[in-house]
Amino acid sequence: MDLPALSQALLVVFVTTAALIDLRERRIPNWLSLGGLVLAFGLNLVLHQLSGLWQSLVGLVLAFLIYFALYWLRAMGAGDVKMMAAVGAIVGPWNWMVIFLLSSLIGGLLAVVVVLWRRRFRRTVSNVGYLIYEWIHLRPPYVRRQELDVSKGFGLPHALSVALGSFAFLFLRTR
C-alpha cells in the first residue's frame, strides 16, 4: 500500500506520542491506541476507499497476531500489542513488517547498550540461556524467574523502539 503524506504524519504523531507516554509512565494508554485505530481506518478509507479499509484491517490483524504471541510469552505488554495493531492499521501489512523488523533491530541495539551501561552482561547471558532452555522444554521461563516477565522487569519502553523503527522506515522510503 502506498503511504501518503497524511498517513506518514499520522504515523509520526502516533508513535511519538506513544513513545513519550511510555518513557514517562511505562504504559501506553488505551485511548491512544483506540484513537490511532479509528484515525487509521478513517484515513485509509478516505484515501484508498475499500482497498484502504482492507489494508488497515489486514495490517491490524497481522500486527495483533504476532504481538499477541509475544504477549503470551510475556515478551511484550498488552499496551505494546494494541499500539502495534494501530501501527499496522495505519501503514498496512507490508509496511508494518518493515517497521517491525527495523523496530526489532533498533530495540535489540538499545537493549545491548542498556545491558552494558548497567553492567548486567553476565546476568543477561544467563537469562538468555535460561530462556532458551525453558522454551526447548516448553515451559514458560517467567514462572521461575520473575525478572523475565516484562510486566515486572526493568525492560526498555518498547514504544521508543517502535518510534525509532518507524522514523527509520520513513527515512529509508525517501532514499
Side-chain angles (χ1 to χ4, degrees):
M1 178 170 79
D2 183 34
L3 202 60
L6 283 174
S7 298
Q8 293 178 38
L10 175 58
L11 177 64
V12 167
V13 169
F14 178 75
V15 297
T16 301
T17 304
L20 291 172
I21 292 172
D22 200 14
L23 281 167
R24 188 178 61 237
E25 299 179 17
R26 298 309 310 260
R27 62 190 270 318
I28 300 164
N30 289 334
W31 63 262
L32 180 62
S33 297
L34 182 59
L37 281 173
V38 169
L39 289 171
F41 277 100
L43 183 61
N44 283 320
L45 178 62
V46 167
L47 293 175
H48 304 285
Q49 293 77 42
L50 286 178
S51 69
L53 193 60
W54 176 251
Q55 290 297 307
S56 282
L57 181 61
V58 174
L60 177 145
V61 169
L62 175 67
F64 180 81
L65 290 175
I66 290 173
Y67 266 69
F68 187 77
L70 293 170
Y71 169 76
W72 185 73
L73 292 170
R74 304 264 174 110
M76 294 291 157
D80 300 322
V81 175
K82 293 176 270 189
M83 173 195 60
M84 282 303 267
V87 170
I90 293 168
V91 300
W94 301 113
N95 291 332
W96 182 84
M97 285 300 296
V98 176
I99 291 170
F100 170 64
L101 292 172
L102 290 169
S103 298
S104 297
L105 289 171
I106 290 168
L109 290 173
L110 288 174
V112 168
V113 169
V114 168
V115 163
L116 294 174
W117 180 266
R118 293 183 179 176
R119 299 175 188 208
R120 293 179 47 107
F121 183 75
R122 286 186 185 169
R123 182 66 180 173
T124 300
V125 170
S126 170
N127 283 343
V128 169
Y130 180 77
L131 281 167
I132 293 168
Y133 179 82
E134 291 296 297
W135 285 338
I136 287 171
H137 291 90
L138 303 175
R139 294 187 297 245
Y142 55 83
V143 171
R144 292 188 190 150
R145 287 196 187 171
Q146 290 295 311
E147 75 260 24
L148 298 178
D149 185 344
V150 165
S151 66
K152 297 178 176 84
F154 82 98
L156 292 166
H158 185 61
L160 176 61
S161 299
V162 173
L164 294 173
S166 298
F167 301 152
F169 164 76
L170 293 172
F171 174 76
L172 290 173
R173 285 180 53 85
T174 64
R175 301 284 177 194

